[in-house]
Amino acid sequence: MIVKIRIMLKSQKVIVLCSIILSILFFITIFAPWIAPNDPIAVNLANKLLPPSFDYPLGTDHLGRCTLSRILYGARISLGFATLIFISSLGIGLIVGTIAGYKGGWVDQVLMRLCDGVMAFPNLLLILGLVGILGPGLKQVIIALILVQWVYYARIFRGMVLSLKEQNYIAAAKISGSSQWKIIKKHIVPNVLPPLAVMGTLEMGWAIMDISAMSFLGLGVQPPTPEWGAMIHEGKSYIRTNPELMVYPGLMIMLVVVTFNLLGEALSERFGVKRR
């Protein structure tokens, strides 16, 4: 009991700390136009590769653009679109997994074979293939990530629904004459939603890394739009002379991903939710 209390207190501190960090990051995401000291895409070759100063707190890049402003605006893409990918993938997975688990039979077989087909390929390879078909661009990357990620949620929700539909209260609802839709809405969905906090925090980190990886490869965000992965790609030519052009956006990616993962671990310990 004492050990459990210590774990809960420790996880509570981690949850509070990570929540504060993420709140600040999302605040920056929303108010970046008012926080950024300069225009993130304004080119001024006369000011290229300047060291940190009052006008440019983190210096400038090879085109004279404010590094701090580009990092702040980059948060809008990394965090904003990662959230969009998570919500969209989760919605599709919730619908497919709930239908497959509750209906069973041939419906379950067809939907799960579809999931198996997607999961048979490595994530990155499949995403690269889809982006190659759809063409480079942020919208295409988002579509590709959603098409790949939903299958994991679908399988998780299916397993949870298979377990839930054998419970006595589900049988009682069937006997009382409740429709399938009512049972799913009132008894199934509310019981599969609690693990979302854990799943969401863990998957957000992966979504951010995937977006950054695609942009680094030149398949995601296109210049001059600021994005952390694209900034690392642009700064790699100056790794010897101005390594900070890669270090700053790399640190931001690390900070966000580690924060989401720590929050997910703490939530899983706090609420007893197992990671997949």
Side-chain angles (χ1 to χ4, degrees):
M1 178 62 71
I2 296 177
V3 175
K4 289 184 178 180
I5 293 175
R6 287 179 178 175
I7 292 175
M8 290 179 64
L9 291 175
K10 182 180 177 180
S11 62
Q12 185 70 23
K13 292 179 181 178
V14 174
I15 291 172
V16 172
L17 177 61
C18 292
S19 298
I20 292 173
I21 294 174
L22 292 176
S23 297
I24 295 173
L25 290 171
F26 276 104
F27 177 85
I28 291 173
T29 299
I30 297 171
F31 296 100
W34 295 273
I35 299 175
N38 297 284
D39 187 338
I41 62 174
V43 175
N44 186 353
L45 295 178
N47 293 332
K48 67 178 183 179
L49 302 177
L50 291 179
S53 63
F54 180 79
D55 293 328
Y56 304 101
L58 294 181
T60 60
D61 65 5
H62 61 294
L63 295 177
R65 298 172 298 192
C66 178
T67 301
L68 176 60
S69 298
R70 291 182 63 78
I71 287 177
L72 295 177
Y73 271 83
R76 308 190 86 187
I77 293 177
S78 296
L79 289 173
F81 286 104
T83 304
L84 174 62
I85 292 168
F86 164 66
I87 293 174
S88 301
S89 303
L90 178 67
I92 298 172
L94 177 62
I95 294 172
V96 173
T98 302
I99 293 174
Y102 190 80
K103 298 292 289 186
W106 67 269
V107 174
D108 181 28
Q109 291 295 322
V110 170
L111 293 176
M112 288 304 102
R113 295 300 75 76
L114 175 62
C115 292
D116 291 340
V118 175
M119 296 178 67
F121 299 91
N123 272 10
L124 185 58
L125 180 62
L126 187 56
I127 293 170
L128 287 172
L130 290 172
V131 173
I133 295 172
L134 298 173
L138 180 59
K139 182 173 74 173
Q140 290 83 344
V141 168
I142 292 172
I143 294 173
L145 288 171
I146 292 173
L147 291 176
V148 170
Q149 291 295 329
W150 72 268
V151 298
Y152 297 99
Y153 296 110
R155 292 192 69 88
I156 292 171
F157 286 131
R158 172 185 175 269
M160 297 172 67
V161 171
L162 286 174
S163 171
L164 288 171
K165 75 176 187 178
E166 302 299 328
Q167 300 296 319
N168 292 332
Y169 62 87
I170 299 296
K174 291 179 180 178
I175 295 173
S176 66
S178 297
S179 64
Q180 292 185 355
W181 166 246
K182 187 176 181 180
I183 292 174
I184 291 174
K185 180 181 178 181
K186 294 189 64 175
H187 302 290
I188 299 293
V189 173
N191 285 286
V192 301
L193 289 180
L196 291 186
V198 177
M199 295 171 59
T201 51
L202 296 173
E203 294 299 329
M204 281 286 287
W206 283 108
I208 290 170
M209 287 195 295
D210 287 337
I211 292 174
S212 298
M214 292 298 103
S215 297
F216 178 80
L217 295 173
L219 299 175
V221 174
Q222 301 299 306
T225 304
E227 193 276 332
W228 295 336
M231 291 177 67
I232 295 176
H233 174 76
E234 293 174 350
K236 64 181 174 53
S237 300
Y238 302 88
I239 188 171
R240 294 182 180 272
T241 57
N242 298 85
E244 67 274 8
L245 297 180
M246 295 182 66
V247 171
Y248 292 146
L251 288 175
M252 290 303 300
I253 294 173
M254 184 181 72
L255 172 65
V256 175
V257 173
V258 169
T259 302
F260 272 118
N261 285 344
L262 288 175
L263 180 59
E265 293 283 358
L267 288 172
S268 65
E269 292 179 358
R270 181 68 175 81
F271 299 109
V273 178
K274 295 182 179 179
R275 293 183 59 182
R276 66 173 173 85

